Each structure stands twice: as C-alpha cells, then as structure tokens.
Amino acid sequence: MTPADLLSILHEFHRDKLTMRQRHVAVAKHVTNYEFNNTYQYVICREDVHLSWLDAALAELGAIADVVAEPGLP
C-alpha cells in the first residue's frame, strides 16, 4: 500500500466516523430521557477518541482532517 492509498483510506474513514459522531451529537440534543442521553454521551466520547487517533495518523502523513458540520434535525 502506498502512502497515497493509506491517506485516501484514512480520510474516508475519518469523514465517515466524523459524520456519525456529528449525527449522534445532533440527536443527543433532542433526547430528554437521561438513560438514553447518557448512552449517547458514552458513544460520542468513544467516537472522539477514535477521531483523535485518526487525526494523529493523518497528521503523521502531513494531512489535515476534513470538517463535517452537525446536521440539522427537525
């Protein structure tokens, strides 16, 4: 695998993981039940750790991670 291939895979994986995280954040803002919201907070924290690993891997390759906005929910 070439560094360019690795960079492409890392960018795609980071973008997908960040999209999921942003969706979970948006939904957590609308969940009022403590038990369910607490679960969302746990998932978001775990995703933050995963994203920090991906950010570090991208930085080692000299790349900057993509930014994904939080989706709007009705």
Side-chain angles (χ1 to χ4, degrees):
M1 176 177 288
T2 67
D5 292 338
L6 178 59
L7 187 59
S8 175
I9 290 170
L10 287 173
H11 265 297
E12 183 179 350
F13 189 58
H14 182 275
R15 189 173 37 257
D16 290 348
K17 180 58 96 170
L18 184 56
T19 300
M20 286 190 310
R21 184 226 182 254
Q22 296 296 68
R23 173 76 177 165
H24 289 145
V25 168
V27 172
K29 290 179 180 178
H30 294 282
V31 175
T32 57
N33 182 293
Y34 175 79
E35 295 295 326
F36 294 119
N37 191 282
N38 194 37
T39 301
Y40 270 107
Q41 298 309 315
Y42 172 78
V43 169
I44 292 166
C45 286
R46 186 179 61 202
E47 289 173 333
D48 285 342
V49 171
H50 295 168
L51 286 167
S52 72
W53 295 340
L54 290 167
D55 286 337
L58 288 168
E60 283 184 27
L61 294 173
I64 298 173
D66 295 335
V67 175
V68 174
E70 185 179 308
L73 298 177

